[in-house]
Amino acid sequence: MRTSLCDRLGIELPIVGFTPSEHVAAAISRAGGLGVLGCVRFNDAAELDAVLSWMDENTGGKPYGVDIVMPAKIPAEGTSIDLAKHIPQGHRDFVERTLRDLAVPPLPDDTDERAGVLGWLHSVARSHVEVALKHPIRLIANALGSPPVDVIEQCHAKGVPVAALAGKAEHAVRHVDNGVDIVVAQGYEAGGHTGEIASMVLLPEVVDAVGDRVPVLAAGGIGSGRQVAAALALGASGVWMGSFWLATEEYLQTMGESEAMQRALVAAGSSDTVRTRIYTGKPARLLKTRWTEAWAAPDAPEPLPMPLQNLLVSHAHNRIHHAADPSVVSMPVGQIVGRMDRVRPVADVISELVSGYEETLSRLDKTR
Amino acid sequence: MRTSLCDRLGIELPIVGFTPSEHVAAAISRAGGLGVLGCVRFNDAAELDAVLSWMDENTGGKPYGVDIVMPAKIPAEGTSIDLAKHIPQGHRDFVERTLRDLAVPPLPDDTDERAGVLGWLHSVARSHVEVALKHPIRLIANALGSPPVDVIEQCHAKGVPVAALAGKAEHAVRHVDNGVDIVVAQGYEAGGHTGEIASMVLLPEVVDAVGDRVPVLAAGGIGSGRQVAAALALGASGVWMGSFWLATEEYLQTMGESEAMQRALVAAGSSDTVRTRIYTGKPARLLKTRWTEAWAAPDAPEPLPMPLQNLLVSHAHNRIHHAADPSVVSMPVGQIVGRMDRVRPVADVISELVSGYEETLSRLDKTR
């Protein structure tokens, strides 16, 4: 399982793993892939800096990358207090009523609560880039398409390639025109922000549209060696996996008290996800739970635009996380959740991808 | 490109092509695949009988199959006149108003109009089975899952294997338990009736669920050799293609005056489809046109259940077909429509699938 991407990024396997957990990211890099740490959870640049220093010491000298969330167009900006003025009271009342209906208790008084995820804000994402470029990162990926051109130039000046997610071929071409070095083609089946075109159709379209200009990674629906082989057959130079790492042992090392979430993921089938705007204001695939169902009810309000929706629900997310009820989880995950049937070490996941890939190629040999 | 399915069905290539056109079906069989003729357009069993006799003479002795539309549970039954009583006047008014808004003229007085598509009715589908079994067919496929067990037994008594579409692994297992011989795993990206799980995730799930009991065909998103290779990598024993044949020269030989529809398909991109209940009452993917957009507007009524919805719109379909306006087409098609960029002979499509498949396997070889 070796492609041109391996030489490009200095990795052994064309497996790029996106995760908010530094323990997972480091384990992916140590196992021969490229661990990509999601920065959106860091409101404080100093905190990100400390975690990247930890990465520098724990990847065994292997490459790693970071993922930021930066729209090319600058959306509403300001502190969470400024922005909060734009949230209608009816929406706040719905959230409060829903949490009560779902028996999600208030947080204990001594809980140190975060003030919403400010990583969605442009200024905060820019601080992530600046901090990350002080570390020996090998990739900056942007979850919302091309970052602004000056950010791309800043990365290139440090020799760091930039990857951008695309759900349509025309978006991919625009990213490359802006200077993006790697396109992540994210299919409908993927977790988190996702478009409507499934990977089987999207991948060859994106590959043909960008031609030889940049490599394409396949995102969405990857959790076995068969799926890696399918992605490479469709023309991808590697895979981008996000959901699958949520059910790893290393995830708990960073994200303590996530056992209820992991139980919910392990129990879920591939039909148990929903694509909805309730997480961030843009369509994103989440685990289907009593929380997403409440937002799908006829009396539920329309989700607010980004970044207001995430501010609206961030306190609810803290309460939901603390309640630890597997039926009321709020978590982005792809349709591959149906294959996440136990919690494993990262290295086991990767060695199974490699052996499954080799078996698949041997099976395909027999069709000639 | 050879799998166990080839021996099972007596074909050279594991490419099964579903089409309402006998000219297309015969051409697929002659080119080494298995042409499967859709029966739903035949209200009259004698008409189907004549067309199958034509198939017997025009497939060059190669195998072919038929496709019926038969729910395992018997739905509302009766003639179109009985059923028409259940259609609300508000729905009829909406259709009439929409056709006027879209400048779709009435049919000329001398048009020989069909009385709706009765192939959706159980009794009519049973007559299709009886007629088809008098011909040397090699497969009966059912577009709505398992046919009733007595129909399966009737086919087996004649040595004809039965295929059934499934959009979920548990449906596939149920089909096999009922005696179905081949499962067609139909992903979200497919045209016509389709579920919500994309092929990348659905295929290995269905393959694992049915194990060694039956072969699985991949339906949805297939239109190139890369996609055939991906489907086989995911564990399929072959592919089931439907949409792609709509843009062939042979299609016009059966379905005269479809040039406007073909122009619309050739112009469409992979984003230009929509999954909606307006065609039959069950979710089906259609080309997105001004007709589907009208049904998505806030003032549009909810589609009726099967079989009423198709009766409601069948006269409109005739008018739309006759109007020949590419912007007001009503046609089931999958996301692969983005790759249907010209009208070609069937044999060209198939030879490109084969050469693309071989190139893909050579490319994958280099990853070892």
Side-chain angles (χ1 to χ4, degrees):
Chain A
M1 197 200 282
R2 214 181 151 78
T3 71
S4 59
L5 187 84
C6 298
D7 300 323
R8 177 72 183 269
L9 297 177
I11 52 182
E12 293 153 51
L13 302 167
I15 297 169
V16 181
F18 162 76
T19 171
S21 154
E22 62 270 22
H23 290 91
V24 173
I28 293 167
S29 288
R30 286 197 307 270
L34 188 81
V36 171
L37 182 72
C39 295
V40 80
R41 75 177 165 100
F42 298 96
N43 287 351
D44 178 0
E47 198 189 345
L48 173 61
D49 195 32
V51 167
L52 293 182
S53 295
W54 182 92
M55 289 284 290
D56 296 335
E57 286 160 21
N58 287 277
T59 48
K62 302 288 184 73
Y64 71 91
V66 299
D67 179 270
I68 55 171
V69 181
M70 187 183 267
K73 283 184 213 148
I74 298 174
E77 192 69 14
T79 68
S80 57
I81 292 162
D82 293 341
L83 288 166
K85 290 175 194 154
H86 301 289
I87 297 177
Q89 189 58 38
H91 279 71
R92 296 185 189 281
D93 293 345
F94 170 78
V95 168
E96 195 57 38
R97 191 168 68 241
T98 301
L99 292 173
R100 201 170 54 235
D101 292 350
L102 298 176
V104 174
L107 292 175
D109 286 345
D110 59 350
T111 308
D112 173 25
E113 191 172 9
R114 288 166 187 274
V117 176
L118 299 178
W120 306 114
L121 297 182
H122 218 264
S123 51
V124 177
R126 277 187 180 264
S127 77
H128 292 156
V129 173
E130 272 159 37
V131 166
L133 287 176
K134 291 181 190 153
H135 293 264
I137 57 169
R138 291 294 283 267
L139 184 73
I140 287 194
N142 184 24
L144 290 179
S146 302
V149 171
D150 73 289
V151 171
I152 297 177
E153 286 168 354
Q154 202 183 344
C155 297
H156 287 175
K158 292 272 194 172
V160 175
V162 176
L165 265 70
K168 292 187 179 188
E170 59 258 43
H171 297 174
V173 171
R174 201 186 312 149
H175 298 342
V176 178
D177 290 345
N178 285 343
V180 160
D181 307 282
I182 295 173
V183 167
V184 181
Q186 168 118 328
Y188 168 82
E189 54 271 72
H193 292 129
T194 182
E196 295 198 346
I197 310 171
S199 293
M200 183 70 94
V201 172
L202 179 68
L203 267 170
E205 249 182 15
V206 170
V207 167
D208 290 350
V210 304
D212 291 335
R213 298 170 72 194
V214 303
V216 175
L217 299 182
I222 313 282
S224 71
R226 284 177 285 184
Q227 287 154 330
V228 176
L232 268 50
L234 293 168
S237 299
V239 296
W240 170 279
M241 294 169 60
S243 303
F244 219 72
W245 318 109
L246 295 171
T248 58
E249 290 174 6
E250 287 86 345
Y251 186 81
L252 282 185
Q253 292 180 269
T254 315
M255 306 295 185
E257 297 171 6
S258 294
E259 290 87 354
M261 184 274 287
Q262 287 191 330
R263 269 206 306 283
L265 296 179
V266 165
S270 57
S271 300
D272 298 327
T273 71
V274 60
R275 187 168 167 271
T276 168
R277 297 202 300 111
I278 70 171
Y279 200 80
T280 68
K282 288 181 186 284
R285 185 175 300 283
L286 308 183
L287 187 68
K288 194 189 283 175
T289 67
R290 293 197 297 146
W291 170 249
T292 61
E293 295 290 275
W295 279 92
D299 67 325
E302 279 296 300
L304 301 171
M306 182 179 279
L308 296 179
Q309 180 66 18
N310 191 264
L311 281 174
L312 169 67
V313 294
S314 67
H315 173 70
H317 286 171
N318 287 343
R319 281 174 62 177
I320 286 170
H321 184 75
H322 193 265
D325 174 354
S327 76
V328 197
V329 163
S330 177
M331 175 57 67
V333 75
Q335 293 185 335
I336 195 65
V337 69
R339 192 163 286 276
M340 291 157 58
D341 53 4
R342 60 191 192 279
V343 175
R344 291 183 287 177
V346 165
D348 285 11
V349 172
I350 291 189
S351 77
E352 204 174 292
L353 291 172
V354 172
S355 63
Y357 181 80
E358 287 164 2
E359 284 162 24
T360 302
L361 261 55
S362 302
R363 187 162 45 74
L364 288 177
D365 277 341
K366 295 183 190 129
T367 67
R368 296 204 251 210
Chain B
M1 197 201 282
R2 211 179 156 80
T3 70
S4 59
L5 187 83
C6 297
D7 302 322
R8 177 71 183 268
L9 297 177
I11 52 181
E12 293 153 52
L13 302 167
I15 297 170
V16 181
F18 162 76
T19 171
S21 154
E22 60 270 23
H23 290 91
V24 173
I28 294 167
S29 288
R30 287 197 306 270
L34 188 81
V36 171
L37 182 72
C39 295
V40 80
R41 74 177 166 100
F42 298 97
N43 287 351
D44 178 0
E47 197 189 344
L48 174 62
D49 197 29
V51 167
L52 294 183
S53 295
W54 182 91
M55 289 284 290
D56 296 336
E57 287 158 21
N58 287 277
T59 47
K62 303 288 185 73
Y64 72 91
V66 299
D67 180 271
I68 55 171
V69 180
M70 187 182 267
K73 283 184 212 145
I74 299 175
E77 192 69 16
T79 68
S80 58
I81 292 162
D82 292 341
L83 287 167
K85 292 176 193 153
H86 300 290
I87 297 178
Q89 189 57 39
H91 280 70
R92 296 186 189 282
D93 294 344
F94 170 79
V95 168
E96 196 56 39
R97 191 167 68 241
T98 300
L99 291 173
R100 200 169 56 235
D101 292 349
L102 298 177
V104 175
L107 292 176
D109 286 345
D110 60 349
T111 308
D112 173 25
E113 191 172 10
R114 288 165 186 273
V117 176
L118 299 178
W120 306 115
L121 298 181
H122 217 265
S123 51
V124 177
R126 276 186 183 266
S127 76
H128 293 156
V129 173
E130 273 159 37
V131 166
L133 287 177
K134 291 179 189 152
H135 293 265
I137 56 169
R138 291 293 284 267
L139 185 72
I140 287 195
N142 183 23
L144 289 179
S146 301
V149 171
D150 72 290
V151 172
I152 296 176
E153 286 168 355
Q154 203 183 342
C155 298
H156 287 176
K158 293 270 193 175
V160 176
V162 176
L165 265 70
K168 291 187 180 188
E170 58 258 43
H171 297 172
V173 171
R174 203 187 310 148
H175 298 342
V176 178
D177 290 344
N178 286 343
V180 160
D181 307 281
I182 296 173
V183 167
V184 181
Q186 168 119 327
Y188 168 82
E189 53 272 72
H193 292 128
T194 181
E196 295 197 346
I197 309 172
S199 293
M200 183 70 94
V201 171
L202 179 68
L203 268 172
E205 248 181 19
V206 170
V207 168
D208 290 349
V210 303
D212 291 334
R213 297 169 73 192
V214 303
V216 175
L217 300 181
I222 313 283
S224 71
R226 285 176 284 183
Q227 286 154 330
V228 177
L232 268 50
L234 293 168
S237 298
V239 297
W240 170 279
M241 292 168 61
S243 303
F244 219 72
W245 318 109
L246 295 171
T248 58
E249 291 173 5
E250 287 86 346
Y251 186 81
L252 282 186
Q253 293 181 268
T254 314
M255 305 295 184
E257 296 172 6
S258 294
E259 290 87 353
M261 184 274 288
Q262 287 191 331
R263 269 207 305 283
L265 296 179
V266 165
S270 57
S271 299
D272 298 326
T273 72
V274 58
R275 189 170 166 269
T276 166
R277 296 202 300 111
I278 70 170
Y279 201 79
T280 68
K282 288 181 186 283
R285 185 175 301 283
L286 308 183
L287 187 68
K288 195 190 282 176
T289 67
R290 293 196 298 144
W291 170 249
T292 61
E293 295 291 276
W295 279 92
D299 67 325
E302 279 295 301
L304 302 171
M306 181 181 278
L308 296 179
Q309 179 67 18
N310 192 263
L311 282 174
L312 169 66
V313 295
S314 66
H315 174 69
H317 286 171
N318 288 342
R319 281 176 62 178
I320 287 170
H321 184 74
H322 193 266
D325 174 353
S327 76
V328 196
V329 164
S330 178
M331 178 54 67
V333 74
Q335 293 185 335
I336 196 66
V337 69
R339 191 164 287 277
M340 292 157 57
D341 53 4
R342 62 192 191 278
V343 175
R344 290 183 288 176
V346 165
D348 285 11
V349 172
I350 291 188
S351 78
E352 203 175 292
L353 291 172
V354 172
S355 62
Y357 181 81
E358 286 164 2
E359 284 162 24
T360 302
L361 260 54
S362 301
R363 185 161 46 74
L364 289 177
D365 277 341
K366 295 183 189 130
T367 67
R368 297 203 251 210

